[in-house]
Amino acid sequence: MKVRIDNVTKKFGHTTAVSNFSAELQDGHLICLLGPSGCGKSTLLNMLCGIIPVTEGQIFFDDKDVTKLPPDQRNIGMVFQNYALYPHMTVAENIAFPLEVQKVKKEERKARVEEIAKLVHVDNLLKRYPSELSGGQQQRVAIARAMVKKPQLLLMDEPLSNLDARLRLEMREEIRRIQKETGVTTVFVTHDQEEAMSISDSILLMKDGLLIQSGLCQELYVNPNSLFVAEFLGNPPANKIVEDDKITAIRPEAFILDDNGTEAEIQFISEMGKDQIVTMTYLGNTIRAILNLDDMNVGSGSKIKVGLKKKGVFTFDKEGHRCHPELDSRSIEKESR
């Protein structure tokens, strides 16, 4: 199902949580609503599901205006940060509950529970109670419960926040697999840019209730339209060099060793898996670069020369708006010589 959001605004008294938001969500895609805490992403999700009313604007599912429809008439599934499983019910009963509400016959309920349980890999847990499950297993059950009624739209609000790092990685891979197998249009809310980049087809990046930039994950990373986007996406984050009339953002991986480059002094070197994160002084600024120094006898206080790749260097005006992309790497290199 395609979702269209037309100029949607949500106000709570004098506070505007979402402002004039417009976007189209493609059928069968997994779309991430990404942004810092308090940017309005969960509010937007709650308007999509009908939990809170829209102040201004319209929401369409395919060509149907659902702006004023209650949640039970939108054919959606919801998965929250809090799994909200019923403790007195078994896994099978938890998954089947939405079908009971819809008065689906017992035999069909049983068949659909078994089908979705296999899809999310909890078919061997159907007789257990929530207290007997791990966090990852509970999350799988919550997803199964949301999917069992065959929704046209699946909405997920920070569903992995309560899991440890290893389990988060496993579950986001599982969510991606389930979404691909079912083809259901999915909106996934997160503040974690790495999570968004790894799981989604496209990203809607928000700040202060506004849609700042949208597009494919790599599009936002390689072609940010503002300083906020350049700084928000990437780990380690982009380095920021402030000058009189502009701001330059340089991604750590944009640095290269170059005998004809600019001198930099190493402060310290840290290992991050296969990468070496080099903190150094460059043009009077403390920056971080990803460099391979394995064949060099260097350490704190050593001086090296570095240059810049054409990609991963962005210039912005003082307000944070993107300047001409063709000037990005050339401007900083020219001034360093």
Side-chain angles (χ1 to χ4, degrees):
M1 180 177 69
K2 182 178 72 174
V3 177
R4 192 170 87 245
I5 306 167
D6 282 353
N7 303 309
V8 164
T9 293
K10 178 60 187 178
K11 295 181 179 180
F12 297 99
H14 297 295
T15 302
T16 300
V18 176
S19 180
N20 200 33
F21 191 106
S22 294
E24 280 201 9
L25 315 183
Q26 292 190 44
D27 181 27
H29 279 212
L30 194 159
I31 303 101
C32 271
L33 278 177
L34 175 66
S37 298
C39 71
K41 53 190 185 295
S42 291
T43 299
L44 182 62
L45 196 79
N46 287 333
M47 287 190 285
L48 285 175
C49 74
I51 290 177
I52 62 174
V54 171
T55 304
E56 298 172 11
Q58 293 174 288
I59 296 172
F60 295 87
F61 289 178
D62 286 331
D63 295 321
K64 181 180 180 180
D65 187 347
V66 299
T67 312
K68 296 183 179 179
L69 287 184
D72 61 350
Q73 295 182 29
R74 297 195 184 198
N75 193 15
I76 56 171
M78 283 286 294
V79 180
F80 298 96
Q81 179 178 345
N82 181 349
Y83 314 131
L85 301 178
Y86 298 109
H88 61 287
M89 293 183 179
T90 64
V91 167
E93 291 167 341
N94 265 283
I95 296 173
F97 185 73
L99 301 180
E100 288 190 44
V101 173
Q102 293 179 340
K103 302 190 185 305
V104 174
K105 292 182 179 179
K106 186 176 182 179
E107 287 186 4
E108 184 181 348
R109 284 204 313 266
K110 186 174 184 292
R112 282 168 65 174
V113 166
E114 290 176 351
E115 178 186 7
I116 198 67
K118 286 180 182 179
L119 178 68
V120 303
H121 298 165
V122 296
D123 47 310
N124 61 329
L125 306 174
L126 292 176
K127 294 182 180 180
R128 294 191 188 180
Y129 289 88
S131 61
E132 300 174 295
L133 305 179
S134 68
Q137 291 169 336
Q138 289 185 51
Q139 186 58 283
R140 290 172 189 267
V141 175
I143 293 170
R145 185 178 59 186
M147 295 291 293
V148 74
K149 57 183 181 178
K150 299 180 180 179
Q152 290 183 290
L153 179 66
L154 179 63
L155 305 174
M156 311 185 84
D157 193 0
E158 300 272 10
L160 308 181
S161 294
N162 291 336
L163 305 179
D164 62 41
R166 184 179 293 274
L167 204 49
R168 283 172 71 101
L169 179 61
E170 177 187 322
M171 282 308 303
R172 71 190 190 205
E173 291 173 350
E174 280 296 285
I175 287 171
R176 188 56 171 152
R177 176 187 65 80
I178 293 164
Q179 192 274 330
K180 282 290 188 184
E181 289 188 24
T182 60
V184 63
T185 304
T186 301
V187 182
F188 185 103
V189 164
T190 181
H191 64 275
D192 185 327
Q193 52 93 13
E194 184 178 336
E195 194 166 86
M197 296 283 285
S198 67
I199 200 174
S200 61
D201 293 303
S202 59
I203 289 175
L204 303 175
L205 182 55
M206 297 181 67
K207 179 188 179 187
D208 299 332
L210 299 169
L211 176 60
I212 303 300
Q213 188 172 356
S214 63
L216 300 177
C217 305
Q218 277 303 109
E219 285 179 1
L220 271 66
Y221 188 78
V222 303
N223 194 26
N225 66 4
S226 65
L227 180 62
F228 168 75
V229 178
E231 289 189 300
F232 195 83
L233 297 178
N235 185 30
N239 301 286
K240 185 168 67 173
I241 297 177
V242 180
E243 300 163 90
D244 291 337
D245 60 344
K246 70 177 188 296
I247 301 169
T248 304
I250 309 172
R251 297 214 180 278
E253 66 270 22
F255 287 94
I256 54 173
L257 294 170
D258 183 356
D259 290 337
N260 298 314
T262 303
E263 188 174 85
E265 181 175 332
I266 296 174
Q267 295 180 10
F268 57 89
I269 302 170
S270 59
E271 306 285 339
M272 186 178 289
K274 64 180 177 60
D275 294 325
Q276 290 178 313
I277 312 299
V278 183
T279 301
M280 58 189 185
T281 303
Y282 172 82
L283 297 178
N285 296 269
T286 299
I287 60 93
R288 284 182 290 185
I290 298 176
L291 296 169
N292 185 353
L293 303 177
D294 285 341
D295 298 328
M296 302 175 65
N297 184 22
V298 293
S300 299
S302 298
K303 293 183 179 179
I304 58 175
K305 287 192 173 183
V306 296
L308 295 172
K309 300 176 184 177
K310 290 184 178 179
K311 293 183 178 179
V313 183
F314 315 107
T315 54
F316 306 92
D317 62 24
K318 284 298 185 180
E319 284 70 46
H321 304 301
R322 183 79 180 273
C323 298
H324 299 294
E326 66 272 11
L327 300 178
D328 286 338
S329 61
R330 285 185 296 173
S331 63
I332 190 76
E333 286 184 324
K334 181 179 178 181
E335 291 177 11
S336 68
R337 292 191 173 96

